Amino acid sequence: MSVRVAAPRAEAGISELLGGKRVCVCAGSGGVGKTTTSAAIALGMAAQGAKVAVVTIDPAQRLANALGLRELDNEPHRVAPEMLDSAGVDVSGELWAMMLDPKRTFDELIDRLSPTAERADEIKANRVYRELSSAVSGSQEFTAMAKLYELDQDRRFDLLVLDTPPTRNALDFLDAPRRLNAFLEGPTVRALVRPTGIGMRVLGRGASPVLGALRRVTGVDLLTDLGAFFGLLADMTEDFRTRAAQVEKLLAARTTAFVLVTSAEREPIDEAIWFHRRLAQVKLPFAGVVVNRVHHDLLSGHDSEDVRRALSRTLAPELAAKVAQNFRDYHVLAGRDERNIARLGDALGGHPLLLVPHLDEDVHDLDGLLKMRRYLFASGEEREQLIANMVA
Ligand SMILES: Nc1ncnc2c1ncn2[C@@H]1O[C@H](COP(=O)(O)OP(=O)(O)OP(=O)(O)O)[C@@H](O)[C@H]1O
Ligand SMILES: [Mg+2]
């Protein structure tokens, strides 16, 4: 049976794309499979002998369990070799995994950058900080990258695979350090921090009846908290800038690879095309695209009427018609995927596309990761064979 694959395919698997790399960033739109792809890449690279850590963000509970991740303690844990053995995974390297706790990473960053421990405690206890560390747009992405930088500095791992947060727009991720910095250095903060700024003036009028009333009603002394917070942070913005610059340098290094993950649906594909263009503009190293959850044409060449006829020999006519309808729907989906993937292939001008099929079940355990790994690490020819077997 012939298998039609629409786009330029990767002749090599992901391990060739990651040759000589120390950092792999899996980025893409929400819900396309970034977390599972990151875990499958890490598993496959560890199987080949590397010491790999995957930094995941908000993995599904069952996937976290499969990786033995029970606590959010912000440090990588080794996935127990016995666990891998019992799942039949032959890992000659080491697989480590951690769940990123953005709040905690931000706290650690404050600890590291504060001139004194007391100052760090004051900042962390501040109500505004507690809100800011989770609310400022980009802070989650920023902390993910800050953690990446720290782990990279440790030199404990051969490869770090970074999962990225579910951003509304995949491009937000790249702008995160800059946005956070812009916020910290922007007019709002400066106005509050300057001795003669509005913040200080307002704070000076602590007896203002309006604020007093607010405080009485809400119990929140917002402006005092806000002013105090930015006052505390004032002499740290330089350090934030330095850290953001270090992170940017790491992301741009020759030893870093961005792997874009997308599904074959229209919008994520559009975003992947956009993201790829953006990476080139800002000169960040792009390795390839994983097109996940691809529907391969199960009918390829057959007529659904033939399918119905064949099925009705063994199934009740109604059921046979239903199954044939399913085949037809799948055929339509496969056609749509094929066109979207071709569009992506055109836009990428020959860059490798690694196609991973839509599997029958969610990927929530080592078995599922192993299935994904097979497709990600196969050479072009092997991948075609795998798909042919799936379709047959
Ligand atoms: N190839 C696949 N076949 C079937 N199910 C898949 C496949 N890849 C991922 N999934 C499932 O799709 C869902 C989303 O995957 P995942 O959590 O990895 O996406 P994500 O991009 O990390 O999402 P978010 O942006 O919310 O973080 C999960 O339930 C996962 O098990
Ligand atoms: Mg995810």
Side-chain angles (χ1 to χ4, degrees):
M1 183 181 299
S2 77
V3 178
R4 287 175 297 146
V5 185
R9 283 142 296 140
E11 290 314 319
I14 191 88
S15 60
E16 282 79 13
L17 301 182
L18 294 181
K21 305 292 182 187
R22 295 185 39 79
V23 170
C24 166
V25 182
C26 293
S29 321
V32 293
K34 298 179 295 294
T35 303
T36 41
T37 301
S38 312
I41 290 177
L43 175 67
M45 294 302 280
Q48 293 185 349
K51 184 173 177 185
V52 188
V54 54
V55 178
T56 67
I57 295 169
D58 207 10
Q61 190 56 46
R62 287 198 294 180
L63 183 64
N65 292 345
L67 293 172
L69 289 170
R70 263 166 225 101
E71 326 138 54
L72 257 177
D73 66 355
N74 230 24
E75 283 303 319
H77 287 276
R78 183 162 180 193
V79 181
E82 310 81 63
M83 219 159 88
L84 296 168
D85 273 351
S86 64
V89 195
D90 189 12
V91 168
S92 59
E94 290 180 21
L95 177 62
W96 292 63
M98 71 168 267
M99 283 189 274
L100 186 79
D101 178 348
K103 171 79 175 74
R104 187 150 176 166
T105 311
F106 217 147
D107 287 353
E108 286 171 5
L109 196 63
I110 296 287
D111 286 340
R112 195 148 320 173
L113 298 181
S114 293
T116 62
E118 292 72 36
R119 171 67 64 91
D121 289 341
E122 258 180 288
I123 292 179
K124 286 185 293 180
N126 187 284
R127 186 197 315 270
V128 176
Y129 167 75
R130 294 208 304 265
E131 293 300 321
L132 176 95
S133 54
S134 54
V136 165
S137 108
S139 63
Q140 199 184 13
E141 290 86 342
F142 181 78
T143 50
M145 288 191 276
K147 188 73 200 180
L148 182 73
Y149 176 77
E150 249 174 56
L151 289 172
D152 182 63
Q153 288 292 294
D154 276 2
R155 303 262 147 192
R156 280 163 61 199
F157 298 99
D158 302 321
L159 177 70
L160 298 168
V161 184
L162 179 72
D163 174 24
T164 56
T167 39
R168 183 183 45 79
N169 174 333
L171 294 175
D172 286 353
F173 182 71
L174 290 181
D175 287 333
R178 226 163 301 141
R179 269 208 318 274
L180 193 65
N181 244 320
F183 172 76
L184 291 170
E185 298 194 341
T188 326
V189 176
R190 241 178 297 137
L192 283 162
V193 168
R194 248 193 343 236
T196 54
I198 173 108
M200 293 303 160
R201 272 188 278 131
V202 173
L203 291 177
R205 282 193 257 134
S208 146
V210 178
L211 285 178
L214 247 184
R215 192 166 41 223
R216 271 195 305 281
V217 174
T218 62
V220 174
D221 195 357
L222 187 64
L223 274 177
T224 308
D225 275 342
L226 201 65
F229 172 65
F230 288 121
L232 288 168
L233 216 60
D235 48 1
M236 282 171 57
T237 51
E238 185 58 35
D239 298 313
F240 265 105
R241 198 179 25 220
T242 311
R243 176 55 56 104
Q246 287 163 335
V247 167
E248 275 185 40
K249 200 164 153 209
L250 171 64
L251 293 181
R254 278 215 316 270
T255 46
T256 294
F258 277 81
V259 171
L260 298 185
V261 184
T262 179
S263 67
E265 281 152 337
R266 189 187 174 82
E267 269 184 41
I269 291 270
D270 281 345
E271 235 178 61
I273 292 173
W274 212 27
F275 201 117
H276 169 252
R277 212 171 291 147
R278 186 67 205 283
L279 283 177
Q281 272 167 8
V282 292
K283 299 194 169 57
L284 289 177
F286 167 74
V289 180
V290 172
V291 188
N292 190 25
R293 311 191 75 154
V294 177
H295 300 88
H296 290 284
D297 197 350
L298 301 174
L299 280 176
S300 62
H302 296 278
D303 187 71
S304 68
E305 190 48 30
D306 296 342
V307 173
R308 193 194 58 74
R309 257 198 301 273
L311 287 171
S312 58
R313 273 183 230 126
T314 46
L315 297 178
E318 233 172 69
L319 190 54
K322 253 190 201 150
V323 176
Q325 179 61 42
N326 271 347
F327 270 93
R328 244 187 328 264
D329 293 346
Y330 211 86
H331 174 71
V332 172
L333 275 181
R336 180 209 65 182
D337 285 4
E338 192 169 307
R339 286 188 295 279
N340 287 336
I341 294 169
R343 198 156 51 83
L344 178 66
D346 281 350
L348 259 57
H351 270 297
L353 300 184
L354 303 175
L355 307 191
V356 177
H358 180 84
L359 301 170
D360 291 340
E361 288 177 15
D362 268 5
V363 182
H364 52 71
D365 54 13
L366 289 172
D367 231 34
L369 291 180
L370 278 177
K371 280 193 191 127
M372 274 189 98
R373 178 192 73 155
R374 280 224 299 270
Y375 289 93
L376 290 167
F377 285 74
S379 70
E381 207 176 299
E382 285 163 348
R383 194 171 307 112
E384 250 175 65
Q385 196 51 51
L386 281 170
I387 293 168
N389 291 342
M390 192 178 89
V391 171

